[in-house]
Amino acid sequence: MDGQGAQLDDVYAYGLSRALIKVAPPATVGLFSQCPSRTETLLKKIKIYMNREAEWREQKHKLKRPPPAWISYLALLLSIIFFRPVWREEEERRRRRVRWIFVRFSAWHFAGSDKLWAGLVIRLFKAIQDDFGELPLGLYRATQHPYPKKVTSEGDEVNWKAIKLLCLPLWVVVLATVLFSIGTCTLLYLYGFELQTNGTRSWVTVLESMAIATLGPPAVFALRTILRTSKHLLYTMGSSIQHQMNSSAVSDQMGFMNKVRKEVGVMVDFIHFMEVFERRRIRVVLEITHLDRCSPDRVVRTLEAMNVLLAGENVPFVSILAVDPRVVVGCVESTMWLCGLTSSGYDFLNKMVTLPFSVPEMSRDSKCRAFKTLADSYLELDWECIKRGKHRAGNFSAFEKGRLDDSLVPFIGKGKSETELLENGIHWEIWAKKIKALTNEALHAIYTKYSPLHVYLMGNHVHMRRIINSVRVTVIVMEAMNYGGFSKAKELAAWVVMANLWPCRLSWILQCSEDRQQRADTDDADGDINQAKTLWEVFSETSLELHMLRDRLETVLEQDGDPELFERFLKVDFQFTLKDVDLFRLCTVNLDQSIKEKLAWVRGGPGLRDRTKSNAICPLRIGTVISMSTEDIGKEMEKLNIPVKYQQLLTENQLDGASLVYGRSSEIRHALQMTLGEWITFSSHFLEAKPDAQPHAT
């Protein structure tokens, strides 16, 4: 995507990056979009802008003489062992430098796990460990944990407080112990370990005893620290959680989440420790993607884990939830409603997301440019240029040689061999070039501004790829079937776009036209269906029937796009006729035939009747009843041997087919004043096909 579309995405990414810099953690940003590729682009640009901001602040507020890296690392290890940081809100507000740690969590990679939220925590632990290093984090867990880490101070300006042992700073105890050890070792080296012969102990022996008594506890403390550090280096936070998650005896317990929460707390305290040490703010940006591809229960559990684990006081997490809101809302409602925990999925998201950002729809120009970019990437390359560049070297791959020699597999149609085709003067290369030209023309007709088709493009790369692939296949099928030398690429592209955008409505039109033709053949009607009739006329005549059946067709109707655009498409831009249906029927490869089969079953189910019994009461279809006038209903009542007086009441109340379909059964019976037996006959014939029909109700 380039031009204005890319500029708009730059503006969106820059605005979000500025908001994320100013937002107070913990925060959850809802990056809502139905196009995963645009979401991915925005996340990359947000990361670039935020890193640039961090670099700019680093240069503006950098230290006068930054120490070498090895000195800083050694100072970090010593600070972890001997000191605890002092937290002051004023000091944190004065910090201008900032450091961003970006953590990408693709939920699709962990979709097979029973506890998707545990995968999120493990990914977070791994990223923090890789960023700060295993040794500092392991040493922190060994020395600072389980001691209290948060020390607040409002009066003094000291950033560190020494860890004390026996009312003395630990570093003083260690320093005194080291000096005493050095002095003791020196004396023992000079005077040896000999004893007096008279049986009394010398001063050297006394010194030895004092050294052992003095150095014993510090040695034990040092050994304990070394062992604990080694343990945390071998068993990191992530591996510890992974081990507990694999153990069913632990993971099934109610306290497993609490154990994970404690590990997250240790990690948060370590990040705050590093903030004081580096004298900058540290924020962890957790990018959660592809969550809308997982099962509903795992989606909800992950969202709940975000609320429990990544929330709290002074938590440095900023979560970016990059999802399709429609999918997530559906997942929440399908699981939470059953428990009665929320009224709607939107309410759940609104309580969780502190900064919602719905990516605006792409402009028409941006859609056209994006479609052109994708279409060009699917077209064949100009291998002549490559051939001129590699001819001297002769370093062609087998695939490239095949492309350069045009050695593609030819199409053999109508049972003819390639030799027979060549004898008839029909070379397959000519046909292949025609296919390529028609494909280019059809794709160009979609994204050019001079064609009305560009109005119907969606800002979703998956939708665009579906159209591109379908156009390529449809062109080949059309030409291979030799449909009268069909070469109207624009109409072909329009048909593919219509089948992709409105599969249910197009299937409905195809099914209705097919049913009419079948009834005409069965009833021996004079003449065939008017082939010049437009598809919009067919849809208009049967739209009321589709409206009455909408509850039964809810799942397939959800596949369709904007109904108003559908009307414009068939009524104004492309006035396809029933003749075009016969032309495209066998070539419509991107239309799901199961939708048409479901429409046929729903539409034809009430019309089942026993043809062997001429006087049997058979229910009429909704479409048939809607189109009937008062006179037509009267004629049908005569066939059912319903008394004439009810026909007169029908005329007096001006009841036509639409009135019978949309009216209440009780009101219709009251207007006709029928007895129970007569009402059963009437309602079984005219009202049985209504979705909410209760023909025998009084």
Side-chain angles (χ1 to χ4, degrees):
M1 185 170 50
D2 53 3
Q4 183 181 4
Q7 294 177 1
L8 287 176
D9 283 350
D10 285 334
V11 173
Y12 299 150
Y14 179 75
L16 269 176
S17 66
R18 298 302 302 173
L20 291 176
I21 292 172
K22 299 294 184 180
V23 71
T28 301
V29 179
L31 185 58
F32 301 140
S33 175
Q34 300 178 14
C35 182
S37 57
R38 279 193 85 189
T39 302
E40 189 69 25
T41 301
L42 286 174
L43 289 176
K44 291 179 180 179
K45 292 183 177 182
I46 289 173
K47 183 177 181 180
I48 292 174
Y49 283 126
M50 295 180 71
N51 285 332
R52 287 179 181 176
E53 175 71 17
E55 293 174 0
W56 178 80
R57 294 192 178 199
E58 192 72 23
Q59 294 296 326
K60 184 177 180 180
H61 304 284
K62 65 180 179 179
L63 301 177
K64 296 181 179 179
R65 292 182 180 180
W70 68 273
I71 294 180
S72 298
Y73 192 75
L74 180 60
L76 173 61
L77 298 181
L78 294 177
S79 300
I80 292 175
I81 297 174
F82 298 113
F83 297 95
R84 293 176 187 165
V86 177
W87 314 96
R88 291 194 305 273
E89 295 183 359
E90 297 80 4
E91 179 67 22
E92 186 173 356
R93 285 195 293 265
R94 286 198 297 265
R95 296 189 186 117
R96 293 294 178 264
R97 296 189 303 159
V98 63
R99 177 180 178 183
W100 303 99
I101 302 176
F102 291 90
V103 182
R104 173 63 65 90
F105 174 73
S106 180
W108 181 248
H109 296 164
F110 297 87
S113 175
D114 293 335
K115 294 178 176 58
L116 183 63
W117 61 268
L120 184 149
V121 177
I122 292 174
R123 182 68 187 90
L124 183 61
F125 287 161
K126 184 68 168 57
I128 298 299
Q129 179 179 300
D130 294 341
D131 192 271
F132 292 107
E134 296 182 5
L135 181 58
L137 185 56
L139 188 60
Y140 180 86
R141 296 180 68 193
T143 57
Q144 300 280 335
H145 180 72
Y147 302 108
K149 299 94 180 169
K150 187 173 181 180
V151 181
T152 59
S153 177
E154 298 180 356
D156 54 9
E157 297 293 332
V158 180
N159 291 330
W160 300 94
K161 284 190 176 182
I163 299 176
K164 293 185 178 182
L165 180 64
L166 301 176
C167 299
L168 294 176
L170 181 60
W171 67 270
V172 174
V173 175
V174 173
L175 181 61
T177 303
V178 171
L179 294 178
F180 180 77
S181 301
I182 294 175
T184 302
C185 293
T186 302
L187 292 176
L188 291 177
Y189 176 78
L190 294 177
Y191 296 98
F193 296 87
E194 298 180 356
L195 296 174
Q196 294 291 337
T197 58
N198 56 8
T200 60
R201 296 180 181 274
S202 65
W203 64 272
V204 177
T205 305
V206 175
L207 186 62
E208 292 175 0
S209 303
M210 293 178 59
I212 295 174
T214 304
L215 298 179
V220 173
F221 178 79
L223 181 61
R224 174 179 174 273
T225 303
I226 294 174
L227 292 178
R228 287 177 60 89
T229 304
S230 302
K231 172 189 174 183
H232 291 302
L233 289 177
L234 294 176
Y235 299 98
T236 60
M237 292 181 175
S239 61
S240 177
I241 296 299
Q242 182 71 40
H243 175 73
Q244 296 181 26
M245 185 178 64
N246 294 334
S247 177
S248 59
V250 177
S251 60
D252 292 340
Q253 296 177 1
M254 296 295 292
F256 180 51
M257 178 74 78
N258 185 46
K259 294 180 180 180
V260 178
R261 185 70 181 89
K262 290 181 179 179
E263 292 290 346
V264 174
V266 174
M267 180 179 61
V268 170
D269 291 334
F270 177 73
I271 294 175
H272 287 319
F273 182 97
M274 295 302 300
E275 283 185 324
V276 178
F277 179 79
E278 296 182 358
R279 285 180 282 181
R280 74 177 83 186
R281 288 180 292 169
I282 299 178
R283 297 291 181 265
V284 180
V285 181
L286 183 59
E287 302 171 345
I288 303 175
T289 60
H290 301 144
L291 185 62
D292 43 14
R293 295 186 178 185
C294 302
S295 59
D297 58 333
R298 293 173 183 173
V299 170
V300 174
R301 290 178 183 176
T302 303
L303 297 177
E304 290 177 338
M306 291 175 59
N307 284 333
V308 174
L309 299 178
L310 306 183
E313 185 180 359
N314 296 323
V315 175
F317 298 126
V318 177
S319 304
I320 301 180
L321 190 62
V323 294
D324 184 349
R326 300 177 307 168
V327 179
V328 175
V329 166
C331 294
V332 172
E333 292 179 348
S334 63
T335 55
M336 304 295 283
W337 269 1
L338 298 178
C339 303
L341 298 179
T342 182
S343 58
S344 68
Y346 292 102
D347 182 60
F348 182 85
L349 278 183
N350 291 335
K351 292 179 179 179
M352 178 179 177
V353 175
T354 56
L355 175 58
F357 186 89
S358 297
V359 182
E361 186 179 358
M362 297 171 60
S363 63
R364 291 181 180 178
D365 293 341
S366 300
K367 293 178 184 178
C368 293
R369 281 189 289 266
F371 188 90
K372 183 179 183 301
T373 301
L374 291 175
D376 292 342
S377 65
Y378 276 72
L379 298 179
E380 297 180 3
L381 301 177
D382 187 3
W383 290 96
E384 293 298 328
C385 298
I386 302 177
K387 182 177 179 180
R388 288 193 295 268
K390 292 186 177 181
H391 180 69
R392 295 183 180 180
N395 52 351
F396 294 111
S397 65
F399 175 75
E400 290 173 346
K401 288 180 180 179
R403 295 296 298 271
L404 292 172
D405 297 336
D406 289 333
S407 58
L408 300 177
V409 178
F411 171 72
I412 308 299
K414 294 185 179 180
K416 295 182 180 180
S417 64
E418 184 179 4
T419 304
E420 292 174 338
L421 289 175
L422 292 175
E423 290 176 355
N424 294 333
I426 306 175
H427 199 280
W428 67 271
E429 292 183 355
I430 301 177
W431 180 78
K433 291 180 179 179
K434 183 179 180 181
I435 290 296
K436 182 178 180 180
L438 283 176
T439 302
N440 296 344
E441 184 180 353
L443 295 177
H444 183 267
I446 295 177
Y447 64 77
T448 180
K449 298 180 181 178
Y450 304 102
S451 172
L453 277 176
H454 77 279
V455 178
Y456 305 98
L457 282 178
M458 298 175 60
N460 191 323
H461 285 198
V462 176
H463 162 80
M464 295 180 182
R465 290 190 178 97
R466 285 170 59 93
I467 292 179
I468 294 172
N469 295 330
S470 300
V471 165
R472 294 176 67 88
V473 176
T474 305
V475 168
I476 295 175
V477 174
M478 287 287 294
E479 289 299 321
M481 298 181 72
N482 291 325
Y483 274 178
F486 181 82
S487 59
K488 297 180 180 180
K490 181 179 179 181
E491 284 72 14
L492 185 145
W495 187 269
V496 171
V497 170
M498 178 173 60
N500 192 74
L501 281 178
W502 302 284
C504 181
R505 283 171 170 79
L506 178 57
S507 299
W508 176 264
I509 294 174
L510 298 179
Q511 184 60 40
C512 291
S513 60
E514 182 179 312
D515 290 344
R516 288 185 178 182
Q517 185 63 50
Q518 292 174 353
R519 284 199 300 271
D521 297 339
T522 303
D523 298 336
D524 297 329
D526 297 335
D528 296 332
I529 302 298
N530 183 13
Q531 297 296 312
K533 198 171 191 178
T534 63
L535 299 189
W536 177 249
E537 292 175 350
V538 176
F539 183 79
S540 300
E541 294 173 357
T542 59
S543 59
L544 291 178
E545 182 181 358
L546 179 61
H547 176 74
M548 293 300 300
L549 298 173
R550 65 187 183 279
D551 294 335
R552 302 181 188 177
L553 304 174
E554 182 179 359
T555 55
V556 291
L557 278 173
E558 290 177 351
Q559 307 299 319
D560 285 1
D562 192 337
E564 285 74 18
L565 286 179
F566 178 72
E567 179 178 357
R568 172 182 173 180
F569 188 93
L570 286 181
K571 194 175 181 180
V572 179
D573 294 334
F574 299 95
Q575 299 179 1
F576 288 112
T577 63
L578 293 178
K579 182 179 180 181
D580 297 324
V581 171
D582 295 335
L583 181 66
F584 289 108
R585 186 185 299 273
L586 298 180
C587 306
T588 311
V589 296
N590 64 323
L591 183 63
D592 189 355
Q593 296 299 321
S594 64
I595 298 178
K596 183 171 174 288
E597 293 174 359
K598 183 172 183 177
L599 295 175
W601 181 84
V602 173
R603 190 167 188 261
L608 296 176
R609 54 185 176 178
D610 188 358
R611 287 287 186 175
T612 62
K613 299 179 181 180
S614 57
N615 296 327
I617 300 176
C618 55
L620 298 177
R621 294 179 177 178
I622 289 182
T624 303
V625 177
I626 290 178
S627 60
M628 295 177 68
S629 62
T630 304
E631 292 76 10
D632 296 333
I633 298 175
K635 294 178 182 179
E636 287 291 327
M637 293 174 66
E638 290 181 2
K639 296 179 182 179
L640 298 175
N641 295 325
I642 297 177
V644 180
K645 63 178 182 178
Y646 298 120
Q647 301 178 26
Q648 296 175 353
L649 291 174
L650 184 78
T651 305
E652 292 176 2
N653 289 278
Q654 298 180 355
L655 295 177
D656 56 4
S659 301
L660 295 180
V661 171
Y662 289 105
R664 294 183 179 181
S665 300
S666 59
E667 295 177 351
I668 297 174
R669 181 185 176 183
H670 178 73
L672 296 179
Q673 302 178 9
M674 287 184 173
T675 63
L676 179 59
E678 293 166 343
W679 172 249
I680 291 176
T681 302
F682 180 86
S683 60
S684 298
H685 187 67
F686 292 100
L687 308 179
E688 182 69 27
K690 291 177 64 174
D692 57 345
Q694 296 178 354
H696 307 302
T698 58

